[in-house]
Amino acid sequence: MNILCGYNVNIDSVYRISGAEISELLNTFERTEILEKIENPPGKILSESDFAAGLAYCVKNGCGAEWLVFEQSVFEFLKNRYFEKSLVRMGGNAGIMANALSELGASRVIPNVAVPSRTQLSLFSKKAVYFPDSPLQANEESGAEFGKDLSIPFSNQDPIHFVFDFSEGETFSLYGNEIRAPRENRFIATCDHLNFKLIVNPAFETYALQHACEIDGVLISGFHLLLETYPDDSTYRKVLEDSFARLEAWRARNEKLRVHLEFGHFASKEIANSVFLKFSGISNSIGMNEDELAMLRNRHGIPAEGILRMEAGAVGKAACELASRHEIGKVFIHTREFVLAAFKPGNSGSSGISGKWDDIDDPALLKAAEKKLEAMGFGLSCAGVYAASGRLEGREFVEKEASKLQESLFGREQLQLFLKAFNGRACGNGAFALRNGYMLCTLPTLLSRSPLTTVGLGDTLTAATFLRELELDVQA
């Protein structure tokens, strides 16, 4: 399978932070200032105290967030304090998905690298990742070797996302009050002015247009990094228009092209809604987590509370309403405890199902459910293994390591509630049901007792599921 990955690629500086370090950090700031910012999170980072408050807020609530850094002084503070102690690896939705696809057997993966640096390019998988104009040739000794005649400029300052993982049960002192993290998660401080506008590399754009007929699928993401307005008075809408036009041009040359849009942690509800409305008509599928689904409640009408509690009934209703109201082929929701897809049976054109889908015992529907659950199960195995080991080294490695993982007990409980809420049917380790002309499929996640990372799991899951769906459609 040949797959394009756009648009955000960066470097992740991953650091597992302890409660003691958080306590020490907080004590360097005024108590009143930090408590006020925890109570009313700024959602962006203009000062060191904004960073400290955002980190404390996420650990206190066990939630994940990504805040953009707008001050060079904060970037220097983070780099000097944490970079040398961190794990440096591939970052950005598009970069992580490209590496996952490459390691899992895709034929050719073409990522957009806006302004590549030596460090950035050295972090890509060497198996199937391809750069137009060959800016990177794999070399076992140096890791990267650069050609002399490059059409791609190189950047002196890498886009770095500082990722702070924290563990469930980690405790810190919030000015005398002991706070305990209710679950593991991460807080990301993003220093990345290239991806604020989703800059597209000209070589990527030229290659994609010239070879569109050879491409099987497109994974697009990174829109959550956009700003409502920029210093040059332009807005995010110009970025959306350009990206949409790009997809239309590719589709014009390949009507079978499969497009998946992956959401992210949007700081702006306006941008989140604009992205959804702009791309829902041209995307075969849209993916997001429970937080992002809750943010779109004005589009599906389901209260956010149940979604945020990861109740399968609420998530299933919201996903189905979102898909049916906006005529989307598939909405894919990935939470920590379970995954759920709402899709039109036969949407890919391979299942042979037509007409109304109201008989849950129809053998054709069972076959469609089995295929969807197989792809989702493969994605879950890959994400679980990546969380546990920090690696993806081919399908045999994934199969072996996945057998060591535990199924989410909460996810299993929600599966039972899903069956009752939608009058569904069990199918292997998962379940499926029918609602409003859509099929719902769900599976509990696979968890590690001691995960090495919580970053990139949704991207790994999405990429692996997307790849397996493409393969199953070809086999059908």
Side-chain angles (χ1 to χ4, degrees):
M1 295 296 164
N2 299 326
I3 301 173
L4 297 173
C5 292
Y7 293 99
N8 56 328
V9 172
N10 59 262
I11 294 170
D12 275 349
S13 171
V14 185
Y15 185 71
R16 183 162 291 277
I17 196 161
S18 69
E21 289 174 297
I22 298 172
S23 301
E24 179 185 357
L25 175 68
L26 294 174
N27 286 333
T28 63
F29 301 100
E30 287 291 333
R31 176 180 185 274
T32 304
E33 179 184 18
I34 294 296
L35 292 179
E36 168 62 24
K37 289 180 177 180
I38 291 176
E39 183 67 25
N40 300 291
K44 57 185 177 181
I45 300 175
L46 298 172
S47 65
E48 294 172 17
S49 63
D50 287 343
F51 160 71
L55 176 62
Y57 173 84
C58 284
V59 179
K60 180 176 182 288
N61 294 285
C63 62
E66 181 173 6
W67 291 6
L68 307 181
V69 176
F70 291 95
E71 290 295 329
Q72 182 69 22
S73 61
V74 181
F75 171 77
E76 297 297 339
F77 166 79
L78 293 171
K79 189 172 183 180
N80 293 335
R81 189 177 182 114
Y82 299 108
F83 191 75
E84 293 299 325
K85 301 186 291 184
S86 70
L87 170 65
V88 177
R89 68 182 186 193
M90 175 60 67
N93 306 85
I96 294 170
M97 289 192 285
N99 273 357
L101 291 166
S102 176
E103 293 296 318
L104 294 171
S107 304
R108 174 170 285 190
V109 183
I110 307 93
N112 172 61
V113 188
V115 184
S117 69
R118 292 177 183 272
T119 302
Q120 181 70 81
L121 294 180
S122 70
L123 296 174
F124 276 102
S125 165
K126 308 301 187 293
K127 292 184 178 179
V129 173
Y130 176 79
F131 300 94
D133 290 354
S134 302
L136 173 62
Q137 298 294 331
N139 183 296
E140 292 185 357
E141 295 181 1
S142 65
E145 180 177 277
F146 298 88
K148 295 180 180 179
D149 183 20
L150 299 178
S151 64
I152 303 175
F154 284 80
S155 167
N156 292 323
Q157 181 172 314
D158 289 312
I160 300 177
H161 295 206
F162 295 92
V163 181
F164 296 89
D165 283 334
F166 54 86
S167 303
E168 179 180 344
E170 194 70 56
T171 61
F172 70 93
S173 174
L174 185 60
Y175 304 107
N177 293 322
E178 183 179 90
I179 304 297
R180 183 180 298 272
R183 55 178 274 194
E184 81 274 4
N185 218 311
R186 82 286 181 276
F187 175 64
I188 307 175
T190 296
C191 308
D192 185 356
H193 294 282
L194 287 172
N195 286 313
F196 284 1
K197 275 194 171 183
L198 295 187
I199 301 299
V200 176
N201 188 300
F204 171 85
E205 186 158 23
T206 299
Y207 179 91
L209 188 60
Q210 291 179 346
H211 297 269
C213 58
E214 303 164 17
I215 302 299
D216 299 292
V218 178
L219 288 165
I220 57 172
S221 55
F223 296 101
H224 60 287
L225 297 173
L226 297 178
L227 307 180
E228 292 186 5
T229 58
Y230 295 90
D232 62 0
D233 294 327
S234 64
T235 73
Y236 70 91
R237 295 186 182 278
K238 177 65 164 58
V239 180
L240 299 190
E241 291 295 339
D242 290 346
S243 181
F244 186 82
R246 204 172 289 119
L247 284 175
E248 281 192 316
W250 297 343
R251 270 274 174 79
R253 299 195 175 197
N254 182 359
E255 62 180 15
K256 295 182 179 179
L257 190 67
R258 294 281 293 279
V259 177
H260 175 86
L261 167 67
E262 186 65 20
F263 255 48
H265 182 83
F266 283 85
S268 165
K269 291 184 180 179
E270 176 187 329
I271 297 179
N273 278 276
S274 296
V275 169
F276 178 80
L277 291 175
K278 187 67 178 177
F279 292 97
S280 59
I282 201 170
S283 301
N284 299 92
S285 56
I286 298 179
M288 63 193 75
N289 64 22
E290 71 275 12
D291 295 323
E292 294 144 19
L293 180 64
M295 178 176 274
L296 292 173
R297 58 187 175 275
N298 61 315
R299 298 291 162 201
H300 53 66
I302 305 301
E305 292 77 14
I307 297 171
L308 294 174
R309 288 194 296 265
M310 291 181 285
E311 296 173 0
V315 172
K317 291 175 184 176
C320 191
E321 287 297 317
L322 199 62
S324 60
R325 289 185 185 186
H326 299 276
E327 299 182 343
I328 305 168
K330 174 190 168 189
V331 170
F332 185 43
I333 311 300
H334 41 83
T335 78
R336 179 185 182 274
E337 311 293 347
F338 64 86
V339 294
L340 184 146
F343 67 101
K344 278 282 189 184
N347 177 54
S348 65
S350 61
S351 68
I353 301 173
S354 60
K356 276 196 165 185
W357 310 297
D358 51 14
D359 182 4
I360 197 169
D361 295 316
D362 186 331
L365 283 174
L366 175 60
K367 184 177 180 181
E370 289 174 339
K371 188 170 79 169
K372 190 65 63 178
L373 288 167
E374 178 183 340
M376 292 162 62
F378 177 66
L380 286 173
S381 293
C382 294
V385 168
Y386 186 66
S389 67
R391 296 177 292 152
L392 287 176
E393 299 178 355
R395 299 197 181 192
E396 290 185 8
F397 174 80
V398 168
E399 184 177 355
K400 177 183 176 182
E401 296 300 313
S403 64
K404 304 174 185 178
L405 302 175
Q406 295 182 325
E407 190 177 68
S408 166
L409 294 179
F410 182 88
R412 175 55 56 183
E413 292 171 359
Q414 289 303 312
L415 186 145
Q416 297 303 318
L417 294 173
F418 169 92
L419 290 169
K420 294 179 181 179
F422 300 110
N423 190 28
R425 298 286 188 275
C427 183
N429 292 329
F432 70 97
L434 295 177
R435 180 182 171 87
N436 297 341
Y438 277 77
M439 176 176 281
L440 300 176
C441 286
T442 187
L443 273 171
T445 56
L446 297 175
L447 303 178
S448 168
R449 288 183 177 179
S450 302
L452 287 181
T453 182
T454 62
V455 176
L457 304 188
D459 296 322
T460 301
L461 167 65
T462 296
T465 301
F466 185 72
L467 175 62
R468 189 64 187 135
E469 284 180 337
L470 288 175
E471 292 173 345
L472 290 171
D473 286 344
V474 170
Q475 295 172 12

